[in-house]
Amino acid sequence: MQQAPASVPERARQVGEADAAARRARWAWAEASVWTDRMLAALETGVKGDRWFSLIDKVYSPKNLWSAWAKSARNKGAPGVDGITVDRYADGVEANLAHLSEQLKAGTYQPQPIRRAHIPKTDGTTRPLGIPTVRDRVVQGAIRHAIEPIFEREFAQHSYGFRPGKGCKDALRRVDELLKAGHRFVVDADLKGYFDTIPHDRLMREVEKRVADGSVLKLIESFLTANVMDGLEQWTPAAGAPQGAVLSPLLSNIYLNPLDHLMAANGWEMVRYADDFVILCKSREDADRALAEVQRWTAQAGLTLHPDKTRLADAATDGFEFLGYRFTKGRRYPRHKSIMKLHDAIRARTRRASGVSLGVTVALVNPVLKGWFAYFKHASGGMDGVDGWVRERLRGILRHQNKLPGRSGPTDGRRWPNRFFAGVGLFSLEAAHRLARQSMKMAH
């Protein structure tokens, strides 16, 4: 008599399914079309030699390319050197993605040059951005889907920039915690031109520690060495990962990850968001040692600490700046540059001779104020001064519309008092801040 095959006990099946569900929940952000349950299990248990082979088929998978395209379409973004916008690419997206998949599979895909754009900064300088074409953004997104979980698994806990489930507010919260715990001596570091100076060969060596698929490595390197076009000029970069490219945030974290773990191994509390980081210590001697170690590491990594912007600070007396805030004497405020950046945005929407009504102007200003407040609502103060400045801008418009001479007059505050602007719906930072602080007190 033939023996019936042994069945898997119901209990074992339930446990296995529960484990898989829990694992999927832990990696919910990972691209499902790439990271199957089997791959996630291998990710958590480890693969032979801690290096991943056979990833290129995940990159050129039609489902992965469609997912990468969907994210690019949501982000919009400016066109690259070919002038093709997201909307224009969408017109023939099925054929476009099928062609990309074929090129990637055949190994004939080559990225197009990156368009250089210059974004003005509040200090009068500019920040260079590299804008890839839409097709290249899709491919970079597909590569990121394939490799990000591999590196995310070993990124340091207190690295917050461009990581799933982490952000600026988490980094700021961590700094607050450390300050309250007595870490008052701060290494306030600044990497000079970090994104433009990452050495390609050393970066690729870090990537190769975990990725062994030669086709994927070749693709990543091709993006790093893609020509840059700035107006009529064109050149091949010898270093750097262009800000604005989809892969660059991940690559920048990969390169600084050894520094994160070095600081932790020495017992120093480092909080990093991309290339912006601080190290908080309980003694000046520890801070001195931490700074010396950072100087040693950056020098051997081919990076440069900005000599004028890197310093030791006592949070109790000197204060320091991090992620748009100024920390001083146990409190944090919007830093001066953050306020000036807001002024610039408001100034562009409150031109005296714009010819639009006050209601229209308020409708243009409010989203800017609300967005700024959403980030700075945990500040200890500094809102009333911004409110006053905004009202003065609006009073200048009203004077112009009422054909009154000059930009301001001694009776303007009586003619258009603060309650007048509240009546037309102007968002008040101070009022919103007061409500937020009351809500936080009630919550505690």
Side-chain angles (χ1 to χ4, degrees):
M1 183 176 180
Q2 188 175 5
Q3 191 173 19
S7 61
V8 178
E10 186 66 27
R11 169 88 179 146
R13 229 182 2 252
Q14 288 175 351
V15 171
E17 289 168 359
D19 287 346
R23 187 184 304 114
R24 174 57 65 186
R26 287 193 292 273
W27 296 94
W29 57 269
E31 175 54 41
S33 69
V34 173
W35 288 92
T36 62
D37 289 342
R38 182 180 175 186
M39 284 185 67
L40 288 177
L43 181 67
E44 292 197 342
T45 58
V47 294
K48 186 176 180 181
D50 283 333
R51 299 179 77 211
W52 287 75
F53 296 81
S54 303
L55 291 171
I56 189 63
D57 60 314
K58 315 300 188 297
V59 174
Y60 64 67
S61 154
K63 286 185 178 179
N64 186 19
L65 290 172
W66 271 101
S67 179
W69 153 249
K71 290 177 182 177
S72 293
R74 283 197 300 271
N75 293 336
K76 291 292 185 183
V81 294
D82 60 2
I84 295 177
T85 63
V86 168
D87 290 340
R88 185 176 163 192
Y89 194 87
D91 288 340
V93 67
E94 289 188 21
N96 289 334
L97 296 183
H99 185 53
L100 273 185
S101 182
E102 291 169 6
Q103 286 184 310
L104 289 165
K105 188 174 183 178
T108 58
Y109 171 87
Q110 286 294 325
Q112 294 171 287
I114 291 173
R115 180 169 68 85
R116 175 64 61 94
H118 299 273
I119 308 301
K121 295 168 66 174
T122 53
D123 60 3
T125 61
T126 61
R127 183 187 305 279
L129 288 185
I131 304 175
T133 59
V134 176
R135 72 188 274 274
D136 290 342
R137 296 204 287 266
V138 171
V139 175
Q140 288 193 36
I143 296 171
R144 181 167 182 164
H145 287 168
I147 70 171
E148 185 170 23
I150 296 169
F151 293 97
E152 181 61 33
R153 179 174 174 264
E154 58 188 47
F155 281 161
Q157 181 181 358
H158 297 307
S159 160
Y160 296 93
F162 309 114
R163 294 187 61 194
K166 293 176 178 278
C168 287
K169 290 183 179 179
D170 301 301
L172 292 165
R173 193 177 299 116
R174 178 61 180 164
V175 170
D176 279 333
E177 290 171 356
L178 291 168
L179 289 172
K180 288 174 183 174
H183 295 75
R184 59 180 273 192
F185 298 96
V186 182
V187 178
D188 186 1
D190 185 276
L191 289 170
K192 189 175 181 180
Y194 173 61
F195 279 87
D196 285 335
T197 58
I198 303 173
H200 289 166
D201 55 345
R202 300 181 197 184
L203 171 58
M204 288 307 301
R205 282 200 291 272
E206 291 299 318
V207 176
E208 288 165 11
K209 288 179 181 178
R210 296 291 174 261
V211 175
D213 188 313
S215 296
V216 172
L217 293 170
K218 182 180 176 183
L219 270 178
I220 295 171
E221 193 162 18
S222 72
F223 281 116
L224 292 174
T225 57
N227 281 358
V228 176
M229 291 187 68
D230 190 349
L232 297 177
E233 293 184 58
Q234 184 171 176
W235 69 92
T236 302
Q243 283 184 278
V246 178
L247 266 177
S248 293
L250 174 60
L251 296 176
S252 72
N253 276 335
I254 290 171
Y255 199 62
L256 288 180
N257 187 51
L259 176 61
D260 295 336
H261 288 289
L262 176 64
M263 294 296 104
N266 281 284
W268 296 317
E269 297 287 356
M270 178 169 166
V271 182
R272 182 172 68 80
Y273 189 95
D275 60 332
D276 196 357
F277 64 89
V278 288
I279 304 164
L280 294 94
C281 306
K282 287 191 172 182
S283 70
R284 183 170 289 279
E285 292 74 23
D286 256 359
D288 282 329
R289 285 192 288 270
L291 177 56
E293 189 67 4
V294 170
Q295 289 170 331
R296 184 200 65 78
W297 187 90
T298 52
Q300 65 85 27
L303 303 175
T304 304
L305 287 172
H306 199 297
D308 300 325
K309 297 180 180 179
T310 299
R311 67 191 186 102
L312 291 181
D314 183 341
T317 55
D318 311 326
F320 65 97
E321 294 180 350
F322 185 57
L323 296 181
Y325 278 91
R326 177 161 187 79
F327 292 80
T328 181
K329 298 179 181 177
R331 295 174 178 268
R332 56 168 153 137
Y333 302 88
R335 69 174 185 166
H336 178 70
K337 284 185 178 179
S338 301
I339 294 174
M340 291 302 100
K341 190 173 180 180
L342 174 64
H343 279 197
D344 289 342
I346 297 296
R347 197 175 283 114
R349 291 162 175 80
T350 54
R351 309 225 179 263
R352 293 174 70 239
S354 65
V356 301
S357 68
L358 180 65
V360 170
T361 303
V362 168
L364 292 171
V365 164
N366 276 351
V368 178
L369 293 173
K370 289 176 181 178
W372 194 83
F373 176 75
Y375 186 79
F376 288 103
K377 65 182 177 183
H378 296 293
S380 299
M383 304 291 175
D384 53 344
V386 179
D387 274 346
W389 181 84
V390 172
R391 287 192 294 264
E392 284 305 303
R393 293 286 301 176
L394 297 180
R395 288 183 182 115
I397 291 173
L398 291 169
R399 284 184 67 85
H400 183 78
Q401 291 176 349
N402 285 271
K403 296 183 171 47
L404 296 172
R407 292 183 175 273
S408 62
T411 61
D412 285 356
R414 293 195 298 272
R415 185 180 285 115
W416 300 293
N418 294 357
R419 64 178 178 274
F420 167 82
F421 294 105
V424 297
L426 178 66
F427 181 78
S428 168
L429 294 169
E430 179 63 23
H433 189 242
R434 191 162 51 247
L435 283 173
R437 290 179 74 83
Q438 287 172 357
S439 298
M440 284 188 280
K441 285 180 181 177
M442 290 175 65
H444 287 88

